[in-house]
Amino acid sequence: MAVISGTANKPLAQKIVEALGTELLPVETYRFKDGETGIRIKESVRGYEVFVIQPTSPPVNENLMELLIMLDALRRASVAEITVIMPYYGYARQDRKSKPREPITARLVAELIEAAGADRVVAVDLHVPQIQGFFKIPVDNLTAMPLFADYARDALPFLQNAVVASPDVGGVVRANGLAYRLDNRPLVICDKRRTGTNVAEIVHVIGDVADKDVLIVDDIIDTGGSLMKAAKVFKERGAKNIWAFATHGLFSEGAVEAMEESVLERIVVTDTVRSEYSSEKIQVVSVAPLIAEAIRRIRTNQSISALFD
Ligand code: R5P
């Protein structure tokens, strides 16, 4: 087998191959003067089972195109099978038509990846699990919730008084995934209404946070608005310590600074997206061992879901 990485998150890819006890196969990525991407796989991969690691994180279009070009290069190099490891799936939030004449870009991306030659996809905390159904090939949707549960158990002295909160109705199943792993802590749900692109308001809260410590769970931190608004509402309703757990820390411009100023005491993310910020409030747990174990299981035809039992 061979593991190759695009340029989106080489540090994560490096950790994955270290956990597997192997090395990344060298790939040359270059730019033409007009901005086009060029790729060359530097060793023969004829007949290989290849794992390609590339989160389609910002710059999303660049990283997606690089992934598609890598897949084409591998197919033309006569590999036997390609598994695409997408720790972050860009465009996942465009998963339905919420208004007339909108695209379903998450589905378009799935079709592009399949057309470029993928045989299987491994993702982590897809925005909605239904994205698996946008592909005809198998998709394994790993989750960081067991990692967050371990972190919470080790770091939080106050778990007995904690509730787990989802900042929107769409995230309830995900939040339940953490609550369930923390001795079934009660769930709190925010009724969030989107008022514009990257803007949302919380209009109701279902559940009680007064005198409770609150662990908010989300899949993505983009502007940080969803988590900060939820935290502010919880604080106004008498919450004590408020922590946030989110799998994909995109932290768009200004998000880290805004979160530093917010009432959130700690923000825990994973390394599905390469981190280029420094903040004492933000802690990173690695998904590399989880992804390495998934690769091992795929290779040996073992259950992936058993990883999460
Ligand atoms: C929304 O449905 C997602 O699950 C996230 O809550 C959202 O995308 C986070 O974005 P932001 O950090 O900009 O609020």
Side-chain angles (χ1 to χ4, degrees), residues 93 127 167-168 174 192 194 198 218-227:
R93 288 175 287 178
H127 177 59
D168 53 36
R174 188 177 305 114
K192 180 177 91 173
R194 210 156 264 294
N198 282 124
D218 209 348
D219 56 335
I220 300 169
I221 299 178
D222 186 351
T223 64
S226 303
L227 287 176

Side-chain angles (χ1 to χ4, degrees), residues 13 47 102 137 163 177 218 255 260 272 274 280:
E102 283 187 343
I137 55 177
V163 294
D218 209 348
E260 287 275 2
T272 55
R274 188 168 55 198
E280 287 197 0

Side-chain angles (χ1 to χ4, degrees), residues 61-288:
N61 295 344
E62 294 289 330
N63 287 333
L64 174 61
M65 199 61 209
E66 190 184 301
L67 171 62
L68 298 174
I69 295 170
M70 272 192 296
L71 297 180
D72 190 68
L74 288 166
R75 272 287 160 239
R76 291 175 197 282
S78 307
V79 297
E81 196 176 73
I82 305 175
T83 298
V84 177
I85 312 274
M86 293 177 79
Y88 174 72
Y89 188 102
Y91 285 110
R93 288 175 287 178
Q94 294 187 45
D95 61 321
R96 65 191 186 287
K97 282 177 77 165
S98 50
K99 293 197 194 77
R101 297 175 298 283
E102 283 187 343
I104 303 180
T105 317
R107 158 97 197 208
L108 173 64
V109 167
E111 287 183 351
L112 289 170
I113 290 168
E114 262 189 69
D119 294 297
R120 184 191 297 106
V121 171
V122 176
V124 182
D125 282 326
L126 283 168
H127 177 59
V128 286
Q130 295 90 306
I131 289 173
Q132 291 172 98
F134 293 174
F135 290 85
K136 288 191 215 78
I137 55 177
V139 179
D140 291 304
N141 184 23
L142 311 180
T143 176
M145 294 309 131
L147 302 176
F148 289 156
D150 287 346
Y151 183 99
R153 260 188 245 105
D154 290 347
L156 292 169
F158 49 77
L159 267 181
Q160 289 318 308
N161 189 41
V163 294
V164 175
S166 174
D168 53 36
V169 175
V172 171
V173 172
R174 188 177 305 114
N176 195 35
L178 183 64
Y180 159 78
R181 290 179 170 88
L182 295 174
D183 301 327
N184 265 327
R185 301 310 309 153
L187 265 186
V188 170
I189 303 163
C190 294
D191 180 6
K192 180 177 91 173
R193 310 265 165 105
R194 210 156 264 294
T195 48
T197 309
N198 282 124
V199 192
E201 296 301 329
I202 291 170
V203 288
H204 296 109
V205 174
I206 304 158
D208 187 16
V209 293
D211 290 323
K212 303 279 185 207
D213 299 306
V214 184
L215 315 182
I216 315 176
V217 185
D218 209 348
D219 56 335
I220 300 169
I221 299 178
D222 186 351
T223 64
S226 303
L227 287 176
M228 289 187 289
K229 281 200 177 117
K232 187 162 171 276
V233 170
F234 295 153
K235 206 63 180 177
E236 286 162 3
R237 292 176 181 225
K240 286 160 62 179
N241 303 292
I242 308 177
W243 287 34
F245 293 84
T247 310
H248 312 292
L250 302 180
F251 295 110
S252 301
E253 208 185 331
V256 171
E257 294 75 11
M259 295 190 101
E260 287 275 2
E261 301 294 311
S262 75
V263 296
L264 285 163
E265 290 195 7
R266 190 170 297 184
I267 298 134
V268 186
V269 294
T270 76
D271 54 357
T272 55
V273 175
R274 188 168 55 198
S275 56
E276 275 157 4
Y277 45 81
S278 78
S279 161
E280 287 197 0
K281 266 193 186 183
I282 303 174
Q283 307 263 306
V284 182
V285 294
S286 183
V287 291

